[in-house]
Amino acid sequence: MGRRPGAAVIGTGFIGTVHVQALRRLGLRVAGVLGSSGARGAERARALGVGRAYGSLDELLEDPEAEVVHVTSPNHLHHPQVKAILAAGRHVVCEKPLAMTAAQSAEMVALARAAGRVAAVCYNTRFYPLNQQARGMVEAGELGEPRLVTGHYHQDWLARETDWNWRLEAEAGGSLRAVGDIGTHWLDLTSFITGLRPSAVFADLATFIPVRRRPTGPVETFARAEGATEAVPIATEDAGLILLRYPNGARGAVTVSQVSHGRKNAMAWEIAGSEASAAWASEAPDRLWIGHREGPNAVLCRDPGLMNARGSAAAALPGGHVEGFADTFFALFRQVYADVAAGGRSASSTWATFEDGHHEMLLCDAVRRSAREGRWVALEEVTP
């Protein structure tokens, strides 16, 4: 990797902690963290064993050791924080969704290009090794032309009226919640694997819990709320169903839910091609199903010795040693920081760019309009 740049992480909750742990596993120094308040940052820095808690973004950007800045703050902060980070000449890794609106993400794309810095969006599910394997299979023509792309992303952590998180508030998380938070993961992943971006959508969104009980104190992501609460009307969706059309004539369908009891983090896709099919699910991440008509179906167990070049490059452990959620951040950051050290994105890199993140924001705009107007919406209708 060459000289190892220093990192700083904005956000000290669930996903910020995952970033810190993955960076340390890579042997990178975490120069400091920035919390939602000075006290919160100091408390989490001590808990994580990080030597410095910044008092502000300005203080972070004055630190020469913070060469790469990871943005894991609530969605409404991504745009202003990334603008400041790029203006300071730092590389950036931003959690998804990239912004609150496509207008914001378009500006971020332009700023990243002008800055000439590495600017990545943290679509980590690309980096399950068997998803990289599937991308390689499509590139090699092993599935033929993709025809049908189906799947889901289901969770249950917001299934009760007493469940709470900042993502429920449109002003903090955006007007799309389930679609923006986890739906964009599925859309990005399937676009990455197939090499096809949806050209039109037809969406139906539902809010099953129109009023929730918000705790009067702070609540960690995925944590159970306790103590006093207050009633709050909810405007964001609990679930969504989206039909997709692709430029090559392929069709797709995905369901997204944060209220599906028993599904903790269930992401799944199936691609039916003209020559073969493939399917994968995050609850069994080391298994890739491959379907044939004229011969036996197969299940590829993640094993670098049995995988194609893309798949084996993403794997960090031998076959039989399961790689899961945290490992995807390790694989993603390993690639990003190699590019930082090299001075730019490698032709072989597969991390999501700001352009990819902007496309997901355009898809969100199209989904929002489709659900509101009850019709197919082409991406060209929402592209500035």
Side-chain angles (χ1 to χ4, degrees):
M1 185 184 288
R3 192 185 73 80
R4 294 176 177 269
V9 178
I10 301 175
T12 56
F14 161 66
I15 207 66
T17 299
V18 171
H19 280 238
V20 169
Q21 293 168 341
L23 290 167
R24 282 186 168 151
R25 184 178 164 193
L26 278 167
L28 296 164
R29 192 174 85 82
V30 180
V33 296
L34 175 62
S36 56
S37 67
R40 167 71 172 170
E43 174 192 349
R44 292 298 296 153
R46 287 192 297 271
L48 293 169
V50 175
R52 183 173 182 181
Y54 303 107
S56 67
L57 179 57
D58 287 340
E59 182 183 330
L60 183 158
L61 295 176
E62 289 170 0
D63 183 0
E65 293 296 313
E67 299 170 75
V68 186
V69 184
H70 292 239
V71 178
T72 75
S73 50
N75 302 345
H76 71 289
L77 297 174
H78 292 183
H79 177 248
Q81 289 176 343
V82 167
K83 286 179 64 176
I85 292 163
L86 290 172
R90 310 303 170 88
H91 306 280
V92 60
V93 178
C94 186
E95 269 295 337
K96 52 76 219 165
L98 181 57
M100 294 282 276
T101 67
Q104 288 183 349
S105 59
E107 181 185 7
M108 293 160 79
V109 168
L111 291 172
R113 287 176 181 166
R117 303 286 87 184
V118 168
V121 185
C122 198
Y123 282 115
N124 63 292
T125 59
R126 292 185 178 200
F127 285 85
Y128 282 99
L130 288 175
N131 285 333
Q132 295 276 327
Q133 168 80 16
R135 172 60 180 160
M137 292 172 66
V138 172
E139 289 176 322
E142 295 176 33
L143 302 186
E145 184 76 5
R147 290 174 170 171
L148 187 65
V149 185
T150 56
H152 63 257
Y153 201 149
H154 295 169
Q155 299 176 330
D156 72 354
W157 69 298
L158 295 174
R160 301 292 189 190
E161 68 170 7
T162 51
D163 294 327
W164 188 262
N165 182 261
W166 59 262
R167 291 172 177 82
L168 290 157
E169 302 176 16
E171 60 271 22
S175 59
L176 287 182
R177 188 222 318 158
V179 173
D181 184 27
I182 56 178
T184 57
H185 260 307
W186 189 95
L187 292 163
D188 174 80
L189 176 59
T190 52
S191 291
F192 166 67
I193 293 171
T194 62
L196 301 171
R197 286 177 167 175
S199 56
V201 302
F202 195 116
D204 184 21
L205 307 178
T207 303
F208 298 110
I209 307 175
V211 177
R212 289 178 180 264
R213 304 297 308 183
R214 178 172 61 192
T216 55
V219 181
E220 288 271 5
T221 300
F222 297 122
R224 189 177 299 278
E226 297 179 356
T229 64
E230 56 185 351
V232 177
I234 301 298
T236 56
E237 82 284 359
D238 293 317
L241 299 85
I242 307 172
L243 297 177
L244 305 162
R245 289 177 179 165
Y246 295 89
N248 72 332
R251 297 293 192 268
V254 61
T255 60
V256 179
S257 169
Q258 292 177 321
V259 293
S260 296
H261 291 276
R263 292 300 188 185
K264 305 304 176 185
N265 194 48
M267 183 187 201
W269 57 259
E270 180 168 325
I271 299 167
S274 57
E275 297 299 325
S277 299
W280 175 89
S282 64
E283 292 181 321
D286 270 18
R287 302 287 187 271
L288 179 69
W289 178 86
I290 304 168
H292 302 285
R293 176 177 170 178
E294 285 81 14
N297 295 336
V299 175
L300 173 63
C301 297
R302 186 200 54 78
D303 184 335
L306 301 175
M307 297 161 69
N308 59 33
R310 284 207 184 278
S312 60
L317 299 175
H321 299 75
V322 178
E323 292 190 41
F325 179 77
D327 297 287
T328 64
F329 289 86
F330 172 80
L332 166 59
F333 297 164
R334 178 174 58 185
Q335 201 178 86
V336 167
Y337 277 79
D339 286 348
V340 168
R345 181 182 174 89
S346 165
S348 62
S349 290
T350 53
W351 45 265
T353 64
F354 271 26
E355 287 84 355
D356 295 321
H358 174 55
H359 186 263
E360 300 310 315
M361 294 310 304
L362 291 173
L363 277 173
C364 285
D365 281 359
V367 164
R368 190 181 299 108
R369 180 179 296 186
S370 174
R372 183 175 65 246
E373 300 178 6
R375 64 176 180 89
W376 282 96
V377 172
L379 266 290
E380 61 189 21
E381 296 183 55
V382 298
T383 301

